[in-house]
């Protein structure tokens, strides 16, 4: 779950250069928005970190893990909530990563 949260945070930071000016202009703090543009050179690094963290989240969520029963046998565990959270994070990350491209059509 830490990798899922980390990937969303990294995607937010990667999109801060483009998302920041829009959000700060909306609340009337345009100077702060202009300052967030300085993060643009670091965008590829944060997007790479996002991909690595999502990969780690997929690896830990979908790896086969056996749960020991009281009778000594093993059964695969069900991690439905983790899988749902992971896929929600993938959608959020995709929207944040693509923000610079679709914000031009929204404005």
């Amino acid at each position: 779950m830490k990798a899922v949260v980390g990937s969303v945070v990294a995607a937010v930071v990667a999109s801060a250069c483009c998302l920041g000016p829009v959000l700060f202009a909306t609340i009337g703090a345009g100077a702060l928005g202009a300052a967030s543009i300085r993060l643009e050179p670091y965008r590829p690094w944060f997007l790479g970190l996002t991909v690595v963290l999502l990969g780690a989240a997929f690896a830990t969520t979908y790896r086969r893990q056996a749960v020991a029963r009281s009778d000594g046998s093993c059964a695969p565990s069900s991690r439905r909530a983790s899988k749902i959270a992971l896929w929600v994070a993938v959608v959020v990350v995709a929207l944040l990563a693509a923000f610079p491209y679709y914000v031009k059509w929204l404005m």
Side-chain angles (χ1 to χ4, degrees):
M1 191 55 107
K2 292 178 185 177
V4 172
V5 173
S7 65
V8 172
V9 170
V12 168
V13 174
S15 298
C17 63
C18 309
L19 189 61
V22 173
L23 292 177
F24 288 126
T26 303
I27 63 171
L32 290 175
S36 65
I37 294 175
R38 300 183 89 195
L39 295 173
E40 176 66 28
Y42 304 109
R43 180 173 163 72
W45 292 100
F46 284 116
L47 287 175
L49 177 64
T50 301
V51 170
V52 168
L53 289 172
L54 277 178
F58 270 102
T60 57
T61 301
Y62 282 99
R63 75 172 172 229
R64 186 173 208 107
Q65 183 179 10
V67 176
R69 294 183 180 170
S70 60
D71 63 355
S73 64
C74 292
S77 66
S78 174
R79 294 183 296 248
R80 183 178 170 99
S82 295
K83 291 177 183 178
I84 291 171
L86 176 61
W87 284 103
V88 168
V90 167
V91 170
V92 169
V93 164
L95 288 173
L96 286 170
F99 183 79
Y101 305 109
Y102 67 79
V103 73
K104 294 173 186 174
W105 293 308
L106 295 176
M107 298 267 175

